[in-house]
Amino acid sequence: MNHTPSATPYGSLPPASPMPGRKPINLPRLHEMRARGEKITMLTAYDATFAAVADAAGVECILVGDSLGMVCQGMPSTVGVSLETMRYHVESVARGLQRVQGTAWVIGDLPFGSYHASKEQALHSATVLMQAGAHMVKLEGGGWTTETVHFLVERGIPVCAHLGLTPQTVHALGGYRVQGRDDAGAAQLQQHALALQDAGASLMVLEMVPAALSATLTQALPRCHTIGIGAGDGTAGQVLVMHDMLGINLGKTPKFVRNFMQDSASVQDAMRAYVNAVKNGSFPDNTQHAW
Ligand code: KIV
């Protein structure tokens, strides 16, 4: 007897293999994209359906970001997000992608406090997210994180670094501000970025970093591909929080966001428009979305 329900009243996932001929994204494919100058696209998603829709739209990397603390849980910042919450959402995203035979690369965000105590704690937390279905983990900050990144990479866990505005340390930074604006800040960012590449980080989110500095860092990091958010058009790829690019940010929309839903008939169309705009270089526009 077949117990698979043919339809549910709660929404179903899009058809399998949405992109004909598209192979699962992995690190060598991301390196190839960089080598041929093709921009890498990343979007956040936190559940099975949105992950499947993003995958069908051609998004290469799905970040299960701890921004879910704000957009899903209604928290004032990402600081209160727990590892168990991240595990639940990574598992939901991975399950959704598996259901549609999706090809996206899944990045699980290590939340505040889950990698700070020791390298061993970071390994434990990363293992939880990898076993939930992540292909890579992301952690914020430079300097002290370098050793942790090396420790994880040595043990076969791909790592995405995150520099510039690091939301988990918003209280120490004094707000959501552009980072690396003065010479000392720029030099420190460069030093941290190079050390993280040497430690083995394969991707690096650059958040709210001046466009010229991001472009310089990108050139200086041939083995670690920069993914910008509010960092201009000179990075190897772009990321946005899904709710922002769908125009459902209930607060003040950050300058670096474009609402792709405005001229789209569906969420999938909006995500496809985002992918196309990043690939053809029309988003971000340095005159509007960068510093
Ligand atoms: O948590 C998140 O969604 C992020 C992105 C803003 C890059 O870290």
Side-chain angles (χ1 to χ4, degrees):
M1 201 194 298
N2 182 3
H3 289 286
T4 308
S6 54
T8 83
Y10 311 124
S12 55
L13 294 170
S17 303
M19 306 285 281
R22 198 173 145 203
K23 301 201 175 93
I25 302 295
N26 53 27
L27 286 180
R29 293 215 165 89
L30 292 174
H31 295 319
E32 280 163 24
M33 287 178 68
R34 171 86 184 275
R36 63 174 179 263
E38 181 179 346
K39 296 277 183 182
I40 298 166
T41 59
M42 187 186 291
L43 257 190
T44 68
Y46 315 100
D47 69 23
T49 303
F50 278 108
V53 172
D55 183 83
V59 172
E60 282 107 13
C61 301
I62 294 182
L63 169 64
V64 188
D66 62 356
S67 50
L68 64 82
M70 277 113 127
V71 300
C72 300
Q73 296 183 289
M75 292 182 178
S77 76
T78 59
V79 174
V81 177
S82 71
L83 182 62
E84 172 50 24
T85 298
M86 291 308 304
R87 189 205 61 74
Y88 170 87
H89 286 276
V90 167
E91 192 174 64
S92 302
V93 163
R95 203 184 284 133
L97 291 173
Q98 201 176 17
R99 284 267 303 278
V100 298
Q101 295 163 29
T103 55
W105 175 254
V106 177
I107 302 161
D109 221 353
L110 290 170
F112 183 67
S114 74
Y115 57 97
H116 300 65
S118 65
K119 293 178 295 192
E120 289 73 19
Q121 184 208 23
L123 177 61
H124 165 77
S125 302
T127 302
V128 169
L129 298 191
M130 298 296 282
Q131 289 184 338
H135 302 122
M136 169 180 248
V137 297
K138 176 167 86 60
L139 54 83
E140 293 185 6
W144 71 272
T145 59
T146 304
E147 236 188 280
T148 304
V149 169
H150 182 68
F151 190 76
L152 296 179
V153 171
E154 256 194 331
R155 282 155 183 78
I157 299 176
V159 175
C160 175
H162 185 157
L163 292 180
L165 186 270
T166 44
Q168 291 174 6
T169 45
V170 62
H171 300 304
L173 294 174
Y176 297 96
R177 300 199 172 130
V178 183
Q179 303 294 309
R181 277 193 132 149
D182 59 12
D183 288 350
Q188 190 183 58
L189 265 180
Q190 174 127 9
Q191 188 196 335
H192 286 170
L194 290 172
L196 286 162
Q197 172 178 257
D198 286 347
S202 323
L203 295 181
M204 182 180 296
V205 168
L206 293 178
E207 181 163 1
M208 292 182 75
V209 172
L213 175 58
S214 301
T216 303
L217 292 176
T218 301
Q219 293 307 313
L221 299 171
R223 289 172 280 115
C224 180
H225 314 313
T226 57
I227 308 291
I229 173 165
D233 64 5
T235 51
Q238 295 292 328
V239 59
L240 282 178
V241 168
M242 178 185 71
H243 293 60
D244 288 346
M245 56 79 70
L246 293 179
I248 46 175
N249 181 324
L250 300 179
K252 187 170 172 278
T253 302
K255 168 184 161 113
F256 55 76
V257 170
R258 179 164 139 199
N259 178 351
F260 285 89
M261 198 61 214
Q262 233 158 20
D263 301 312
S264 301
S266 68
V267 167
Q268 190 167 316
D269 279 355
M271 290 181 176
R272 205 174 287 123
Y274 165 71
V275 170
N276 290 339
V278 172
K279 300 265 182 211
N280 69 28
S282 59
F283 178 81
D285 173 350
N286 279 2
T287 63
Q288 288 181 59
H289 306 116
W291 288 272

